[in-house]
């Protein structure tokens, strides 16, 4: 059941305030204090990339959970991450742009899934199982390809490739694009919030209410694939954001898409900015892979909220 408006407003205030605090700390810490030049030239682009990537992953996870009606769905369950990783490694081996290679791989994975599972988008809840299986097989296929590519990657590039595969924001250059993409995604989800809420009732119920179920599922799949592809192209393979953030908000009582859309984006951005801050400062002067740090933060956080939600 939807939380009462007062609780939602309080949660929104806490979420926005916490996100603002995390961003302020990330801009200042590790950059020699509040040095204007360092913040503008070094810290701000990385913080923007982390916020944009986190927002995109959270929104993609929200869309996948609606599409599959499965609380355990996230952007990587359908093979987008594996496709992007394959494209990035191939680009690294031939000396091409890592970002373009990852984007091309993610796009290939999305197109392959659409071709394989086009009938799974029909107005039937049983089709979601076929969609999950198709994505799992694509993920396994791309995972095997990544393993093979790593075995033939030159030694001087191997460490960088592995570091990127578990998430790396040190060289992120698409922060502005990620933030813009997240903003467009929020607008799209908010504009279709009634249709998406009806889809959560089940395909048959949504169809009886006059919703074009097949088209709506296709829109959600394409949007989530594009969002995940852009995020992976910017920062590598970072998990748990799309799984944890929407579910934590639901356990807190937020159920409607018009609230979940922007709250997921703010929460995902803040969570990844915080994970990146820990990755930079934990073992200075070394830097940890942000994807591993995100898993260490996200998994316990999800377990705590899940246990409280169950009670």
């Amino acid at each position: 059941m939807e939380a009462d408006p007062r609780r939602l407003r309080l949660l929104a205030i806490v979420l926005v305030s916490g996100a603002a605090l995390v961003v302020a700390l990330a801009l200042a810490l590790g950059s020699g204090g509040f040095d204007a030049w360092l913040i503008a030239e070094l810290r701000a682009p990385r913080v923007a990339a982390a916020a944009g990537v986190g927002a995109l992953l959270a929104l993609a996870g929200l869309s996948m959970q609606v599409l599959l009606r499965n609380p355990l769905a996230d952007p990587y369950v359908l093979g987008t991450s594996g496709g992007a990783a394959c494209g990035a490694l191939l680009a690294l081996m031939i000396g091409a742009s890592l970002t373009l290679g990852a984007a091309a791989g993610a796009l290939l994975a999305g197109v392959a899934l659409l071709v394989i599972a086009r009938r799974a988008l029909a107005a039937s809840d049983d089709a979601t199982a076929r969609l999950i299986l198709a994505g799992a097989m694509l993920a396994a296929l791309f995972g095997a390809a990544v393993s093979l590519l790593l075995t033939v990657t030159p030694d001087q590039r191997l460490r960088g490739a592995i570091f990127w595969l578990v998430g790396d924001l040190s060289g992120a250059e698409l922060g502005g694009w990620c933030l813009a993409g997240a903003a467009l995604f929020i607008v799209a989800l908010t504009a279709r919030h009634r249709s998406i809420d009806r889809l959560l009732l089940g395909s048959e119920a949504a169809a009886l209410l006059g919703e074009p179920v097949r088209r709506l599922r296709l829109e959600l799949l394409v949007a989530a694939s594009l969002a995940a592809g852009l995020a992976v192209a910017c920062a590598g393979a970072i998990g748990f954001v799309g799984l944890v953030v929407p579910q934590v908000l639901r356990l807190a009582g937020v159920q409607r898409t018009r609230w979940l859309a922007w709250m997921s984006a703010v929460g995902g951005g803040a969570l990844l900015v915080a994970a990146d801050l820990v990755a930079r400062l934990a073992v200075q002067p070394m830097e940890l892979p942000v994807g591993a740090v995100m898993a260490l933060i996200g998994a316990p956080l999800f377990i705590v909220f899940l246990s409280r939600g169950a009670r």
Side-chain angles (χ1 to χ4, degrees):
M1 182 178 294
E2 179 70 26
D4 64 80
R6 288 177 297 177
R7 184 177 178 181
L8 284 175
R9 286 194 290 269
L10 178 60
L11 179 61
I13 292 172
V14 171
L15 186 63
V16 172
S17 300
L21 178 61
V22 168
V23 169
L25 289 173
L27 286 172
L29 295 180
S31 62
F34 286 95
D35 185 291
W37 184 87
L38 288 174
I39 290 175
E41 298 296 327
L42 299 180
R43 294 300 313 130
R46 181 160 177 167
V47 171
V53 169
L56 284 173
L57 291 176
L59 291 168
L62 173 63
S63 298
M64 286 297 178
Q65 289 163 16
V66 172
L67 173 67
L68 303 179
R69 299 186 68 213
N70 188 329
L72 298 179
D74 77 347
Y76 300 97
V77 73
L78 299 182
T80 303
S81 176
C86 279
L89 286 178
L90 284 172
L92 187 66
M93 292 179 65
I94 64 176
S97 169
L98 193 71
T99 299
L100 291 178
L107 181 60
L108 175 63
V111 171
L113 181 64
L114 287 174
V115 172
I116 294 172
R118 58 188 181 276
R119 292 186 179 179
L121 297 172
S124 170
D125 291 327
D126 295 335
T128 59
R130 296 197 298 273
L131 195 61
I132 293 174
L133 286 174
M137 293 303 101
L138 279 177
L141 178 64
F142 285 125
V146 166
S147 299
L148 292 175
L149 288 172
L150 286 175
T151 61
V152 297
T153 300
D155 292 341
Q156 64 270 23
R157 297 179 178 177
L158 184 60
R159 187 177 185 278
I162 295 176
F163 202 81
W164 185 86
L165 286 174
V166 292
D168 181 21
L169 283 162
S170 61
E173 300 176 349
L174 299 175
W177 286 100
C178 290
L179 288 172
L184 288 175
F185 207 160
I186 293 172
V187 171
L189 290 176
T190 303
R192 302 296 300 276
H193 71 94
R194 289 190 178 87
S195 298
I196 294 172
D197 289 339
R198 290 171 179 172
L199 185 61
L200 285 170
L201 300 174
S203 296
E204 293 182 0
L208 288 174
L209 291 171
E211 299 298 337
V213 174
R214 183 185 179 92
R215 188 180 71 188
L216 185 58
R217 282 180 162 178
L218 180 62
E219 290 173 358
L220 288 172
L221 177 59
V222 171
S225 298
L226 290 175
L230 180 56
V232 173
C234 180
I238 300 175
F240 276 97
V241 179
L243 173 64
V244 169
V245 174
Q247 284 306 307
V248 166
L249 289 172
R250 284 195 174 97
L251 291 172
V254 185
Q255 300 297 331
R256 297 190 182 279
T257 304
R258 62 179 178 177
W259 285 90
L260 280 171
W262 74 265
M263 283 189 174
S264 294
V266 173
L271 185 59
L272 192 55
V273 170
D276 183 51
L277 183 63
V278 173
R280 289 191 299 108
L281 300 180
V283 289
Q284 286 184 319
M286 296 178 60
E287 184 175 315
L288 299 174
V290 68
V293 174
M294 184 63 247
L296 291 175
I297 294 175
L301 183 66
F302 185 71
I303 292 172
V304 168
F305 273 88
L306 190 62
S307 62
R308 290 183 177 179
R311 289 199 295 269

